[in-house]
Amino acid sequence: MVTFSSLLESPTAYKAVLVTGCDMYAGYQIALDVLQHKGTHFKCVYAVYLKENDMVHHLKKHGADCIKLAVADGADAIAKAYSKADVVVVVPPVSDDHWGNDSCVFVSAAEKAKIKGLVLCSKINADQLGNLPMLKPLIQMEQAYHDIKGKIKVASLVRCSLHIDMLWLFRDQIASDGKICLPANGRAKFAPLVGSDASHALCRMLIDPDIPAGTYQLTGPEQLDFETVAQHAASKLDEEITFNEIERKDMEQFLKDKVKLCDNHIGYIGDMLEALSKGLLDKCTGDLEQLLGKQPMSVKKYFEKNANDFKP
């Protein structure tokens, strides 16, 4: 059985992991989880970022070696950074100004660097998202992964559902107005995933000798819609909370003015919600529980655990 653990435990291994996209929540969360094992399973943890922010500062504080890289730096520069690690975890560089076709360089550089282990993080049903411009690069990154995985000793493709943590961006609005306002069909089904569960699962895949490499579809434990999410939030926050479907432009303006997200990230969220409304994110699997070795966190539990973030 081919595992990342056997690769990292090899006598010739650097025992180093590199994670990209660490200036955004998904990459940051994965790097933070990997850092918990620095000194035991890993000697070095490299965090690649584009724009320095509080998440990057936090990773530095906790012992990550941070590297600034952009798509425009090209394959040679990216491969040079990758060559420091045994395993590279590619989180799509959505914050990059060149997010698009050229984003594949973050995958193809793995072959150029001759790394031994590769994980590509993508989205559920990515192959069906080609009509959504901010999600189309995921298809191209997956194609690049399939083109080179035969030349990588250990490789995994990890596709994730929509993160319920996305609602944290709207926490002030939820707290003040008692509304979850999104450009989405409130009755469209999806299996929301808690980000910390996804990062824990990926980290376990790297260190557990009993977890093989392969393709994993990570979703939450239950199919819900946003109207039900609002009901769960209300029950755990002890507040009246409803779901309101709004125009996409209104959400985009809110995220730009109030949350200060970059245009790419805003567009990515908008396209994910459009995919949800079209029924493209309705898959629900048991892969996350398999990797975690326990029941994943429910949406109710998420709001209970993070109640203070969503209260006035």
Side-chain angles (χ1 to χ4, degrees):
M1 181 171 64
V2 180
T3 68
F4 288 98
S5 174
S6 60
L7 186 158
L8 287 160
E9 292 302 319
S10 166
T12 59
Y14 299 127
K15 292 182 170 42
V17 174
L18 182 148
V19 183
T20 72
C22 290
D23 54 344
M24 295 182 66
Y25 181 74
Y28 162 77
Q29 190 70 51
I30 293 168
L32 200 59
D33 259 318
V34 173
L35 280 167
Q36 304 303 312
H37 300 276
K38 186 179 178 182
T40 52
H41 292 91
F42 313 117
K43 288 183 179 178
C44 294
V45 178
Y46 297 98
V48 170
Y49 68 96
L50 175 67
K51 299 172 183 176
E52 194 152 345
N53 55 23
D54 289 344
M55 289 182 283
V56 175
H57 295 157
H58 190 72
L59 292 174
K60 286 181 179 179
K61 182 179 177 181
H62 282 76
D65 291 312
C66 294
I67 304 170
K68 185 174 183 178
L69 277 176
V71 170
D73 291 327
D76 288 343
I78 296 170
K80 183 178 179 181
Y82 283 8
S83 65
K84 301 173 184 286
D86 302 292
V87 177
V88 170
V89 180
V90 178
V91 178
V94 177
S95 63
D96 198 298
D97 292 337
H98 291 84
W99 171 245
N101 292 343
D102 293 340
S103 304
C104 295
V105 71
F106 271 86
V107 179
S108 58
E111 180 186 6
K112 193 176 186 71
K114 295 182 171 60
I115 63 160
K116 296 184 175 72
L118 173 66
V119 180
L120 173 61
C121 299
S122 186
K123 286 297 178 186
I124 289 289
N125 292 334
D127 52 324
Q128 299 178 38
L129 305 179
N131 290 329
L132 299 164
M134 294 306 293
L135 302 182
K136 186 176 181 180
L138 296 176
I139 298 177
Q140 288 138 0
M141 293 183 81
E142 285 197 12
Q143 184 57 57
Y145 166 84
H146 289 298
D147 287 345
I148 68 168
K149 75 172 184 177
K151 302 171 186 176
I152 306 289
K153 188 173 182 181
V154 189
S156 280
L157 173 62
V158 178
R159 288 172 153 186
C160 294
S161 183
L162 185 70
H163 284 47
I164 196 66
D165 312 69
M166 178 199 69
L167 292 181
W168 189 85
L169 298 169
F170 303 91
R171 65 195 182 283
D172 292 341
Q173 188 181 66
I174 295 170
S176 62
D177 300 339
K179 296 177 181 178
I180 298 174
C181 299
L182 296 172
N185 179 346
R187 295 185 178 180
K189 298 293 184 182
F190 67 117
L193 173 72
V194 176
S196 59
D197 273 350
S199 61
H200 291 338
L202 196 149
C203 193
R204 280 202 71 203
M205 185 176 64
L206 296 182
I207 66 177
D208 192 326
D210 294 324
I211 297 179
T215 297
Y216 293 94
Q217 313 274 356
L218 303 188
T219 74
E222 55 187 341
Q223 277 191 329
L224 300 172
D225 54 45
F226 269 119
E227 291 184 359
T228 306
V229 168
Q231 293 169 10
H232 288 344
S235 69
K236 291 302 177 182
L237 304 178
D238 197 25
E239 303 282 346
E240 183 178 346
I241 297 174
T242 58
F243 174 78
N244 283 34
E245 183 174 354
I246 61 172
E247 295 291 325
R248 178 165 174 164
K249 62 182 177 60
D250 294 329
M251 181 199 72
E252 291 175 341
Q253 199 64 49
F254 174 83
L255 291 175
K256 186 172 185 176
D257 294 344
K258 302 295 184 182
V259 189
K260 309 300 182 185
L261 291 188
C262 68
D263 289 344
N264 281 1
H265 195 179
I266 293 171
Y268 188 84
I269 292 171
D271 278 2
M272 284 296 295
L273 292 171
E274 185 174 338
L276 180 150
S277 295
K278 291 179 176 179
L280 299 176
L281 303 181
D282 60 350
K283 184 174 289 186
C284 186
T285 77
D287 287 4
L288 181 58
E289 183 172 357
Q290 176 189 342
L291 290 182
L292 286 175
K294 63 180 182 180
Q295 180 79 8
M297 191 182 300
S298 67
V299 169
K300 282 185 177 180
K301 188 66 178 179
Y302 171 80
F303 281 113
E304 181 181 323
K305 183 179 179 181
N306 298 282
N308 290 338
D309 288 340
F310 294 95
K311 288 187 174 181

